[in-house]
Amino acid sequence: MSGAPTPAELQQVAEIVKMGQNYANREQVTYATTFLEQHSADPRFNSCLAVVASSPQGAPEPVRHQAALSLKNNIIRSFEKAVSPSLPIFQEQLLGALADPNDGIRSAIASCVSEIAKTGAWPTLISLLWPKLTSTQDKGLRSGIMVCVRDICENCGDQLETGGPNNQVQHLIPGLLELITTSADPREVQLGVGSLFYLLDHQSIEKPSPIDEKIQQMLAPVLRALGRCLSLASGPHGKEIAKDTLKCYRLLLYYYGQLKQSGELSKIQQVVFSCTGESDPEIKLAACEFWFDMMENDEAVSDLCTSGMLPELAVLLLKNMVYSEMEVELINHEEESENVKPRGKGKKRGDDDDEGDVEQWTVRTCAAATLDFLANKQGPNLISPPGRTQGWFLLEILQPMLGSPDWKVQESALLSLGAIAKGCFDYVSPHLAQLVPAMFQALATSSVHFLVRGITCWTLSRYVTWIAPQKEYFEKYLNLLLQCMGEPKRKVQECSVSSFAVLLEWEYKKGGFLSTNPEYISSILQHVNQCLQPGRYTTRNTLILLDAIGYLGASFGSELATPEGARLLLDPLLKNMLQSLPEHDTVVLPHLMYCISYFIRGMDAQFAQYVEPVYQRCFQIIGKFFESQFRYKSKEIAEPLDLGQNHILAVELIKTLMTCLHGTEMNNLIANTKYPGTNFTFVDFVMFSFTMKDLELEQDFVMTSVNCIGENIAYYPQLFQQRVYEAIPSIVEFCSEDTALCNDCAWFCGEIAMTLEKAPQEQSAQIIGVMAQKLVPILIESKWEENLLQNVAIAVGKFGLIQGQLMASQLGQFLKPLLQHLTLVVEVEDSPEKAQAFLGVVAMLRANFNVLENMDNIKSLAKGMSSFVRLDMKQELVVAFCTIVQALKEALKENWSTVVQNVAFPPVVIAHLK
């Protein structure tokens, strides 16, 4: 059907939406939900949703609001099918509804408009909206338009930055500044400054954009507009206006030099300094983030010192590091909760979602991080600022706070002492002989507030390089940490086990007293065993404990291979926890598998008694994953089982077992263990990465499978070689895009080549021919990432080592890029890959010596030879190089002297020739 929806259609859609809101009738809700889902990509149905949502005289307001939200979701999920065919209807209906008197509906409609704009299908939207805004005094319409503008600035910055004759930024930024400066409506000002913030957030350091250029041209009007915003901070919407204004000031640090030159910088700093002392935590956080970002600019930090502002800022940061009453209440509530899962991070500029569990980003943590940066960049000037007494920060600021009767002040002083540890270590270390015993005493005193004792653990961990090498301090510190790990207060547990992990990491890297005094291990095992008891630790603290145990396994694996180690640690981890956690546990199970991998490496052959239970559990997880994938493909289930990364980590863990413990027992375990109800072995599952592309397995799983086979194909030839050889055409298909998977597959092809050394000539030539046909063009094009090209070059060199005659036929086409990228390969200790590749080059040159008639090729060869560190220690390579150079000398005869004058062969090669 074409044209506008009919009244009957609109009534039907409105009724369906209304049924979905009738939560008293489950059948109606189920029917409505199913109907909405089935028609989510139907453009006619979505046109009806748009009309229902935007017609004030039609359905009731709750129905209209829900219709707008359903439409928004459909636009996000399937714009091309759901909206694009009837786009003019949507544009007309939605723009007209921006004046709706209902705030919720108006906001939902604005979100629909913004979602369409994000698709790029409405490039003229800003040029349509802004004239509407300037030509109306309708408060609702103006608000709806500004919500759209703000959302577009947030989500469509790339489209706004396109430049050219239709550059919307040229008109939008002046319009926003005028609105912020003149509007009498605080809500409009808030939306305007929010829009400005999102535009500023699209700044690009690499290449100035139209937004950057326009802001730079209009910096003075921008500052005037922001100054006006602060004057509204005490009125309606004042808090939001103040926050967004401070965020804008933070992003204007991008123009630091211009602000400094104009004299505006000091005014901004004074304003932000004042806001840093505000009582509202959200305003304080926005202000603290200004200083945090400023720390990234070395010139700005230096200017803080010369201006005399650094001492005042340091004191202000310290004040903001004191726990608020609300924070203390939240922590007390957590202490009483049955279990605490890992905290999600607070939002901080520059954060990534996958960086793991860290403490919430608050005023306190932001101030501490800022002080940490300040100490790293201006340590001497922080401890003893110009014009202040020697050791001012330690003696006049921190020392009185450490002795304060207020535990919250004490705690903030300890936090700051830890924050400055890295940058001011040399200035604090003379005082540690007094500070460390005092902190030990605090840990040993149960009456000291648990948050003070917790932060004391952390602060001590920041000075572990001073504590750990001194046996008296080390023993006391270790015993106190172990005692604190067993305490009931979760914050003390968290900080002490985290500090314990730091101590073990130091021992792992430096080899301290634990390495030479195994008697400490018994005490550690007993305390750790208590911490592992069910219900003793929260989820979050268990994760930290597993990290610490991992370092224990890596450092002292052999010392743990005792009956006591088995009873107290290994059995609880490997026979109890690993077996009891469900496959879909995406919190504890991944940490546990990482932890076990440290034990495998640390214990090596002594881990043999635990191989079977670990292997069987990992194999079960991988099998569950594939069983779910098969059932999903055959439409037996609606969604495949969500295992997070567990199936990938299980393959990684089996790879570690195979690499560290390769032998007959491991080979038999893999060959004979089959997934229940099938004949599938582990080899089948990893090979599915190549042979069953219709499963559309995620790239990380395929890469892990590639690495698993590549690292173990030489150790387990009976398991892998024939299966891999048969799958070569599928494997090389992954070498089609410049991706991490292509990189791994190129490396894998080189590993496969090395297994063909003793294979029949015909088979070897066929397999290497297929791989070379895919990889050599990549080498010749040389347009991909250097790391990928180096892996391709190594693989091609290995092809030559095994099939020199075959590869030599086209050597003239790829010798130069091959040598260029092999020369750049950095040698890795104990890795023969670069040497193997160059031996392959020599083999190809022997079969096609004529390519060295080209002087550029001779220079490239000599440069490649000279790229080896201590070439004289690589006898086989020296002999091979000398053979080629000797043959070149004989072929050139009287012209050899010219080559020697223009080409720098390695001295060791020249010496052998003489």
Side-chain angles (χ1 to χ4, degrees):
M1 296 176 65
S2 59
T6 66
E9 289 175 320
L10 295 175
Q11 184 176 356
Q12 181 191 12
V13 170
E15 285 299 322
I16 293 291
V17 175
K18 185 177 181 181
M19 287 171 62
Q21 296 178 310
N22 184 14
Y23 299 110
N25 189 324
R26 183 176 296 179
E27 289 183 2
Q28 285 193 5
V29 171
T30 302
Y31 173 79
T33 303
T34 304
F35 188 94
L36 291 168
E37 180 70 28
Q38 290 174 344
H39 292 78
S40 61
D42 181 353
R44 185 74 176 178
F45 176 74
N46 283 293
S47 297
C48 292
L49 284 177
V51 175
V52 169
S54 57
S55 303
Q57 307 307 319
E61 288 183 346
V63 173
R64 294 177 58 216
H65 186 258
Q66 185 57 49
L69 294 178
S70 297
L71 177 60
K72 174 187 174 183
N73 290 334
N74 294 345
I75 293 170
I76 294 171
R77 290 168 59 185
S78 51
F79 170 79
E80 289 299 328
K81 292 181 180 178
V83 174
S84 188
S86 305
L87 186 58
I89 294 176
F90 290 94
Q91 291 172 328
E92 178 185 355
Q93 292 293 330
L94 296 176
L95 282 183
L98 289 175
D100 199 280
N102 183 289
D103 285 347
I105 294 174
R106 189 169 63 242
S107 179
I109 293 288
S111 295
C112 291
V113 173
S114 304
E115 290 301 331
I116 295 176
K118 282 165 68 173
T119 68
W122 210 343
T124 59
L125 181 56
I126 287 290
S127 57
L128 288 173
L129 289 174
W130 205 259
K132 281 181 174 286
L133 179 75
T134 55
S135 62
T136 182
Q137 294 303 313
D138 183 304
K139 191 172 180 179
L141 177 58
R142 290 176 67 89
S143 177
I145 291 172
M146 283 307 300
V147 169
C148 281
V149 170
R150 182 198 59 193
D151 290 350
I152 292 167
C153 291
E154 178 181 7
N155 299 308
C156 308
D158 294 341
Q159 297 174 35
L160 295 173
E161 288 183 334
T162 53
N166 297 320
N167 186 355
Q168 300 176 78
V169 168
Q170 295 296 326
H171 308 288
L172 177 58
I173 292 177
L176 281 174
L177 295 179
E178 183 179 357
L179 179 141
I180 295 169
T181 306
T182 61
S183 176
D185 184 348
R187 172 62 174 161
E188 279 187 15
V189 174
Q190 181 212 335
L191 292 168
V193 74
S195 303
L196 181 62
F197 163 70
Y198 287 122
L199 288 177
L200 287 168
D201 206 25
H202 281 282
Q203 294 163 158
S204 171
I205 296 174
E206 290 80 16
K207 182 181 178 182
S209 68
I211 293 176
D212 300 328
E213 293 167 359
K214 194 65 179 177
I215 293 291
Q216 194 163 10
Q217 294 167 10
M218 302 193 68
L219 194 54
V222 168
L223 293 172
R224 283 197 296 272
L226 293 177
R228 196 245 172 169
C229 288
L230 288 174
S231 70
L232 302 174
S234 59
H237 302 284
K239 177 178 173 179
E240 289 76 17
I241 292 172
K243 280 196 302 179
D244 284 343
T245 302
L246 289 167
K247 290 177 181 179
C248 287
Y249 279 142
R250 171 166 61 82
L251 295 179
L252 286 175
L253 289 170
Y254 180 81
Y255 308 98
Y256 184 84
Q258 194 173 341
L259 290 171
K260 179 180 174 182
Q261 189 175 11
S262 67
E264 295 292 333
L265 178 65
S266 59
K267 298 175 186 176
I268 293 173
Q269 288 177 329
Q270 289 302 323
V271 167
V272 178
F273 190 89
S274 175
C275 291
T276 313
E278 280 279 345
S279 57
D280 185 278
E282 293 182 43
I283 293 176
K284 277 203 292 190
L285 178 57
C288 271
E289 287 180 330
F290 173 90
W291 304 113
F292 179 82
D293 272 22
M294 182 179 275
M295 295 302 112
E296 295 180 4
N297 186 323
D298 291 342
E299 181 187 357
V301 179
S302 179
D303 289 344
L304 281 175
C305 296
T306 54
S307 69
M309 195 174 187
L310 187 147
E312 286 77 13
L313 177 60
V315 171
L316 188 57
L317 291 172
L318 271 174
K319 290 179 180 177
N320 281 313
M321 288 161 66
V322 177
Y323 271 121
S324 68
E325 292 298 332
M326 181 177 292
E327 287 174 311
V328 174
E329 286 181 20
L330 285 173
I331 292 171
N332 286 331
H333 177 71
E334 278 192 359
E335 288 288 336
E336 296 167 4
S337 300
E338 288 187 10
N339 194 11
V340 183
K341 293 186 177 180
R343 286 194 188 100
K345 287 164 52 174
K347 295 214 176 185
K348 175 175 78 72
R349 189 169 178 245
D351 274 348
D352 293 322
D353 292 335
D354 57 353
E355 285 183 355
D357 175 44
V358 297
E359 192 170 358
Q360 286 277 52
W361 185 250
T362 62
V363 176
R364 165 188 161 81
T365 52
C366 180
T370 306
L371 187 64
D372 190 341
F373 267 119
L374 193 57
N376 281 323
K377 297 203 171 186
Q378 290 289 332
N381 287 322
L382 173 63
I383 297 296
S384 304
R388 305 288 177 130
T389 57
Q390 192 71 19
W392 166 82
F393 187 73
L394 288 173
L395 301 176
E396 296 187 27
I397 304 301
L398 285 189
Q399 194 172 42
M401 292 175 69
L402 289 168
S404 171
D406 186 338
W407 71 263
K408 291 194 288 294
V409 174
Q410 275 187 36
E411 196 276 345
S412 66
L414 288 163
L415 174 61
S416 67
L417 189 61
I420 66 171
K422 185 177 178 182
C424 301
F425 184 86
D426 290 344
Y427 306 97
V428 178
S429 56
H431 305 275
L432 288 176
Q434 291 77 42
L435 289 169
V436 168
M439 287 190 274
F440 283 173
Q441 183 62 39
L443 283 186
T445 306
S446 58
S447 60
V448 173
H449 196 281
F450 72 92
L451 289 177
V452 174
R453 298 173 69 232
I455 202 64
T456 301
C457 290
W458 176 79
T459 300
L460 285 166
S461 74
R462 299 278 284 180
Y463 295 95
V464 70
T465 56
W466 187 89
I467 295 170
Q470 303 181 67
K471 188 172 184 180
E472 178 186 355
Y473 288 114
F474 168 81
E475 287 181 343
K476 184 72 173 175
Y477 183 44
L478 175 62
N479 289 330
L480 285 169
L481 287 181
L482 292 174
Q483 291 171 23
C484 290
M485 284 164 58
E487 289 198 15
K489 286 294 184 182
R490 291 166 178 173
K491 197 67 177 178
V492 178
Q493 291 175 359
E494 178 184 340
C495 293
S496 58
V497 76
S498 178
S499 302
F500 178 60
V502 172
L503 180 61
L504 290 178
E505 182 182 5
W506 189 89
E507 285 281 334
Y508 173 63
K509 293 177 179 177
K510 303 293 184 181
F513 290 114
L514 282 178
S515 303
T516 54
N517 297 274
E519 64 270 14
Y520 293 123
I521 300 296
S522 179
S523 177
I524 290 173
L525 287 173
Q526 291 174 25
H527 282 86
V528 168
N529 177 266
Q530 291 301 308
C531 299
L532 286 171
Q533 296 305 307
R536 190 67 181 268
Y537 266 27
T538 62
T539 302
R540 183 168 71 234
N541 290 355
T542 298
L543 302 186
I544 304 170
L545 179 63
L546 288 173
D547 290 343
I549 292 172
Y551 281 117
L552 193 63
S555 304
F556 312 105
S558 58
E559 286 85 353
L560 299 174
T562 63
E564 185 183 36
R567 178 175 58 84
L568 295 176
L569 183 58
L570 291 165
D571 286 352
L573 284 178
L574 306 179
K575 294 183 178 179
N576 298 338
M577 187 183 288
L578 179 63
Q579 309 304 325
S580 63
L581 288 170
E583 293 87 0
H584 57 267
D585 180 333
T586 58
V587 180
V588 178
L589 186 56
H591 275 71
L592 177 58
M593 287 196 279
Y594 276 123
C595 175
I596 293 170
S597 70
Y598 280 108
F599 276 89
I600 297 170
R601 295 186 184 95
M603 296 178 69
D604 203 31
Q606 293 172 309
F607 194 81
Q609 61 179 308
Y610 295 102
V611 167
E612 185 166 357
V614 172
Y615 177 83
Q616 296 286 5
R617 184 68 182 111
C618 291
F619 180 63
Q620 185 184 41
I621 293 169
I622 300 163
K624 284 279 187 184
F625 168 74
F626 276 101
E627 180 185 352
S628 171
Q629 291 293 319
F630 294 146
R631 293 183 65 198
Y632 173 65
K633 271 294 177 185
S634 62
K635 300 189 178 346
E636 293 180 44
I637 54 176
E639 292 290 337
L641 186 64
D642 181 11
L643 299 183
Q645 297 281 301
N646 288 346
H647 55 299
I648 298 172
L649 294 173
V651 174
E652 186 73 36
L653 196 52
I654 289 178
K655 182 194 82 172
T656 305
L657 282 172
M658 295 173 70
T659 305
C660 295
L661 299 161
H662 49 80
T664 304
E665 290 184 13
M666 193 74 210
N667 191 92
N668 292 339
L669 184 62
I670 296 169
N672 297 326
T673 304
K674 298 179 180 179
Y675 190 68
T678 76
N679 284 320
F680 296 145
T681 66
F682 173 72
V683 177
D684 291 306
F685 286 143
V686 290
M687 289 304 299
F688 287 160
S689 297
F690 316 118
T691 60
M692 301 190 72
K693 293 184 180 178
D694 61 314
L695 288 179
E696 299 178 349
L697 301 173
E698 65 263 63
Q699 181 172 295
D700 283 349
F701 184 83
V702 179
M703 289 170 61
T704 305
S705 299
V706 165
N707 281 286
C708 177
I709 302 172
E711 291 187 19
N712 288 291
I713 190 169
Y715 299 128
Y716 302 87
Q718 293 179 333
L719 290 177
F720 288 117
Q721 282 186 6
Q722 192 56 40
R723 297 286 299 274
V724 169
Y725 296 161
E726 293 169 359
I728 289 296
S730 297
I731 293 170
V732 297
E733 284 305 310
F734 288 114
C735 299
S736 301
E737 297 180 38
D738 189 0
T739 62
L741 176 56
C742 176
N743 196 7
D744 282 6
C745 284
W747 163 81
F748 187 29
C749 288
E751 297 301 301
I752 294 170
M754 297 306 293
T755 68
L756 293 165
E757 187 175 6
K758 297 180 180 178
Q761 184 71 9
E762 185 178 346
Q763 182 188 34
S764 169
Q766 181 185 2
I767 292 172
I768 285 180
V770 173
M771 295 191 293
Q773 190 175 8
K774 197 72 177 181
L775 295 188
V776 168
I778 294 175
L779 199 60
I780 294 172
E781 291 173 6
S782 288
K783 65 180 183 181
W784 293 10
E785 286 288 330
E786 179 59 34
N787 188 49
L788 170 59
L789 290 168
Q790 289 179 20
N791 272 327
V792 170
I794 289 172
V796 171
K798 290 178 178 180
F799 297 167
L801 184 58
I802 306 301
Q803 278 287 337
Q805 192 73 40
L806 174 71
M807 296 299 297
S809 61
Q810 299 180 26
L811 185 59
Q813 299 178 34
F814 63 82
L815 177 61
K816 188 173 180 180
L818 174 63
L819 290 169
Q820 174 191 339
H821 298 298
L822 283 180
T823 298
L824 295 174
V825 173
V826 177
E827 288 180 81
V828 178
E829 189 176 356
D830 298 328
S831 173
E833 293 210 322
K834 182 172 180 175
Q836 287 173 343
F838 267 97
L839 287 172
V841 171
V842 171
M844 288 184 279
L845 287 171
R846 284 175 180 157
N848 186 357
F849 193 72
N850 293 336
V851 295
L852 290 181
E853 293 175 356
N854 184 311
M855 180 61 80
D856 286 342
N857 286 345
I858 297 173
K859 289 181 177 178
S860 296
L861 178 61
K863 188 175 181 181
M865 292 178 178
S866 300
S867 68
F868 281 91
V869 179
R870 294 303 305 272
L871 180 59
D872 57 313
M873 302 295 288
K874 300 173 176 63
Q875 191 61 35
E876 183 183 7
L877 203 56
V878 171
V879 171
F881 287 163
C882 288
T883 303
I884 284 296
V885 177
Q886 181 66 42
L888 182 63
K889 178 180 178 182
E890 292 171 2
L892 291 173
K893 298 178 180 177
E894 64 273 7
N895 294 325
W896 171 248
S897 58
T898 304
V899 171
V900 172
Q901 291 172 7
N902 292 282
V903 179
F905 287 106
V908 65
V909 173
I910 298 297
H912 273 68
L913 291 178
K914 291 179 179 178

